[in-house]
Amino acid sequence: QVQLVESGGGSVQAGGSLRLSCAVSGNTYSRYCMGWIRQAPQKERESVAQVDSLSTTLYADSVKGRFTISRDNAKNALYLEMTTLKPEDTGMYYCAAKHGPYCSGTLAFDYWGQGTQVTVSS
């Protein structure tokens, strides 16, 4: 069973930055597609960013140029660097993993973390 644990959320003012981290258990991490998914209040979940086993990335249009997803396979870790944050970035951010090796851009992930809250005030 794969476990994912997010950290790094918090409250910031608009224009600020945060870095989210996700620790992933298991010894096949490098083969997973990994993603950050967020859910804003009263809205559906949306994919923010995804990175495949070759470190090819996909971003939602709303975060392109502001967010950077990266992975460290040696540490079984996933990161999301968020800059120039906006109030509309507020939500619960989930780390998710999907078996092998490419990302589809959808929400079809096999494993999910519990989430970390990000709140951006204007």
Side-chain angles (χ1 to χ4, degrees), residues 31-70:
R31 303 177 192 173
Y32 292 142
C33 159
M34 298 298 300
W36 288 101
I37 292 84
R38 71 183 175 194
Q39 185 163 21
Q42 300 179 332
K43 292 188 177 180
E44 294 184 351
R45 287 185 178 184
E46 64 170 338
S47 174
V48 174
Q50 299 183 15
V51 58
D52 69 15
S53 61
L54 300 178
S55 293
T56 300
T57 56
L58 297 171
Y59 291 97
D61 287 343
S62 60
V63 306
K64 284 181 181 177
R66 300 189 298 121
F67 290 12
T68 303
I69 188 171
S70 61

Side-chain angles (χ1 to χ4, degrees), residues 3-27:
Q3 293 185 329
L4 300 90
V5 180
E6 304 95 336
S7 61
S11 297
V12 295
Q13 291 190 328
S17 300
L18 281 174
R19 186 186 195 222
L20 305 184
S21 299
C22 176
V24 184
S25 68
N27 56 9

Side-chain angles (χ1 to χ4, degrees), residues 22-24 29 72-79:
C22 176
V24 184
Y29 171 72
D72 185 334
N73 290 338
K75 296 182 178 180
N76 277 25
L78 181 72
Y79 306 102

